[in-house]
């Protein structure tokens, strides 16, 4: 190995405040509403001197970024996480001189109204055990050069089907012991992120329809593998929404193995399973249009950057 002796320089840098937990209650009428979010902000721009010289003159404290997130929740509310994220990202780029790019990542925890005495209750909710809604908004540049990317999404959507799934015809090598099957259990926890073409969708409506399309495809496709199911999910979303340029899907295959009940003289035709949560097959795919506009920095990871 030879020694390197080039000049040492600062590479890419970014900074922000991770995971501000904000609950916003709307209490303008007796029937309250709730938004429960986890907001991360991340800024890029003219910050090199902070790293190389310890000069903070361009550095908007991460605490101020957090305070802005709370203040905006009061002033503008959180009508949808996409709208709130766009407003926050545009604020940092427009009002904070050294900022060239702002990225806001938001997780939304969903609540459903509780019922009491046979009626929906005004100010009590039950946390939905299901998926987490996500959004990532990236804003770059000002004025006519302004670019905005909105990625909607969900994670932790856990689904299972007890038949309608196969895995056969696979490549067999010296280490292959898996038996092919034409009838198996399929279960996974879906992560999906979809990139919008523009910035003015009906965010809530798209969200619920995309979720429903994903679930429907999982249910109705006679799956030859999780890979095929993922592609069909992505295809269904892009066929339905011209306003979505691409969708990225990730699904851990939560294997369910038919348990051997032969020692007890019992048949087991796909009725009793041993659920193996580790290890799991991790299947991922990007489904896109061949005319999708450039993704720019839309998919760049925030605090997973160096992971
Ligand atoms: O849907 C599946 N895809 C795979 O690639 C795979 N590999 C495996 O062992 N089981 C499965 N199932």
């Amino acid at each position: 190995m030879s020694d390197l002796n080039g000049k040492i320089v600062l590479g890419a840098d970014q900074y922000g405040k991770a995971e501000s937990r904000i609950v916003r209650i709307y209490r303008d009428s007796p029937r309250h509403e709730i938004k429960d979010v986890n907001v991360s902000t991340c800024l890029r721009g003219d910050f090199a001197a902070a790293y190389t010289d310890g000069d903070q003159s361009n550095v908007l404290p991460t605490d101020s970024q957090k305070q802005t997130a709370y203040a905006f929740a009061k002033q503008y509310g959180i009508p949808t996480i996409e709208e709130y994220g766009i407003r926050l990202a545009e604020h940092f780029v427009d009002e904070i001189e050294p900022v060239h790019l702002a990225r806001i990542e938001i997780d939304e925890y969903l609540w459903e109204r509780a019922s009491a005495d046979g009626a929906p209750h005004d100010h009590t909710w039950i946390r939905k055990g299901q998926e987490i809604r996500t959004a990532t908004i990236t804003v770059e540049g000002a004025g006519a050069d302004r670019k905005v990317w909105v990625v909607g999404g969900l994670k932790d959507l856990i689904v299972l089907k007890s038949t309608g799934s196969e895995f056969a015809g696979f490549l067999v090598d010296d280490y292959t012991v898996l038996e092919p099957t034409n009838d198996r259990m399929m279960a996974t926890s879906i992560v999906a992120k979809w990139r919008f073409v523009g910035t003015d969708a009906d965010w809530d409506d798209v969200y619920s329809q995309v979720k429903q399309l994903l679930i429907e495809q999982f249910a109705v496709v006679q799956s030859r593998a999780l890979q095929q199911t993922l592609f069909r999910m992505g295809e269904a979303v892009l066929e339905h929404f011209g306003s979505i340029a691409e969708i990225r899907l990730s699904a851990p295959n939560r294997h369910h193995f038919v348990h051997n009940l032969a020692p007890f003289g019992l048949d087991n035709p796909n009725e009793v399973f041993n659920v193996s949560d580790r290890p799991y097959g991790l299947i991922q795919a990007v489904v896109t249009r061949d005319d999708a506009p450039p993704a720019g920095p839309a998919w760049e990871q925030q605090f997973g950057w160096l992971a």
Side-chain angles (χ1 to χ4, degrees):
M1 202 177 88
S2 60
D3 285 350
L4 299 175
N5 53 20
K7 192 175 164 212
I8 295 168
V9 295
L10 178 70
D13 64 273
Q14 60 179 2
Y15 81 108
K17 189 65 111 186
E19 303 202 31
S20 297
R21 288 282 286 108
I22 305 175
V23 167
R24 170 63 152 104
I25 300 292
Y26 296 87
R27 41 189 309 148
D28 316 306
S29 76
R31 185 185 164 97
H32 293 183
E33 301 291 339
I34 185 170
K35 282 282 177 181
D36 181 359
V37 295
N38 191 358
V39 181
S40 296
T41 61
C42 182
L43 307 179
R44 292 186 200 168
D46 191 3
F47 302 116
Y51 294 84
T52 57
D53 304 327
D55 175 355
Q56 316 305 332
S57 54
N58 272 0
V59 173
L60 179 73
T62 65
D63 187 66
S64 310
Q65 297 174 37
K66 177 187 84 177
Q67 303 298 349
T68 312
Y70 281 91
F72 275 32
K74 161 66 181 164
Q75 286 178 280
Y76 305 111
I78 308 176
T80 61
I81 53 176
E82 290 87 353
E83 279 168 90
Y84 170 80
I86 291 171
R87 188 180 285 277
L88 207 48
E90 288 188 337
H91 163 80
F92 289 124
V93 175
D94 290 340
E95 306 302 330
I96 311 299
E97 226 277 314
V99 176
H100 303 159
L101 178 147
R103 167 168 295 122
I104 311 296
E105 284 187 10
I106 308 173
D107 284 355
E108 179 180 4
Y109 311 109
L110 304 166
W111 294 84
E112 72 186 1
R113 196 171 290 282
S115 60
D117 296 329
H121 196 262
D122 277 347
H123 54 261
T124 306
W125 298 265
I126 306 162
R127 173 75 182 268
K128 278 195 188 167
Q130 238 186 27
E131 87 282 3
I132 292 170
R133 178 169 168 176
T134 64
T136 303
I137 289 89
T138 309
V139 172
E140 184 177 43
D145 295 333
R146 157 73 33 98
K147 294 199 187 83
V148 181
W149 292 271
V150 180
V151 175
L154 56 77
K155 60 185 178 185
D156 297 348
L157 180 66
I158 298 170
V159 287
L160 177 153
K161 63 195 291 188
S162 52
T163 188
S165 163
E166 311 170 18
F167 191 61
F170 44 80
L171 190 152
V172 172
D173 73 357
D174 291 345
Y175 300 102
T176 302
V177 294
L178 189 73
E179 292 290 330
T181 174
N182 295 306
D183 185 3
R184 67 171 184 174
M185 179 88 94
M186 186 159 77
T188 187
S189 169
I190 299 168
V191 181
K193 290 176 188 277
W194 47 93
R195 176 165 66 91
F196 289 92
V197 181
T199 57
D200 58 356
D202 181 340
W203 308 113
D204 282 344
D205 184 57
V206 173
Y207 180 81
S208 55
Q209 288 200 56
V210 169
K211 178 182 161 191
Q212 183 53 31
L213 286 165
L214 298 175
I215 293 169
E216 235 164 65
Q217 291 303 302
F218 183 81
V220 304
V221 170
Q222 173 67 29
S223 175
R224 301 183 68 192
L226 192 46
Q227 284 90 330
Q228 185 201 21
T229 295
L230 282 197
F231 183 74
R232 295 285 291 277
M233 284 174 165
E235 200 177 39
V237 169
L238 295 189
E239 272 168 5
H240 194 84
F241 286 107
S243 57
I244 295 178
E246 68 175 304
I247 177 165
R248 299 188 171 195
L249 296 143
S250 179
N253 195 354
R254 307 258 175 214
H255 302 290
H256 287 62
F257 298 109
V258 177
H259 198 72
N260 180 14
L261 299 178
F264 319 113
L266 296 171
D267 258 4
N268 189 5
N270 277 353
E271 288 176 335
V272 177
F273 294 86
N274 161 14
V275 184
S276 155
D277 73 341
R278 295 277 186 292
Y280 49 88
L282 187 57
I283 317 292
Q284 303 184 313
V286 177
V287 185
T288 188
R289 298 177 193 282
D290 58 10
D291 60 349
W299 295 107
E300 285 175 26
Q301 289 281 313
Q302 189 142 306
F303 295 106
W305 205 33
L306 302 178

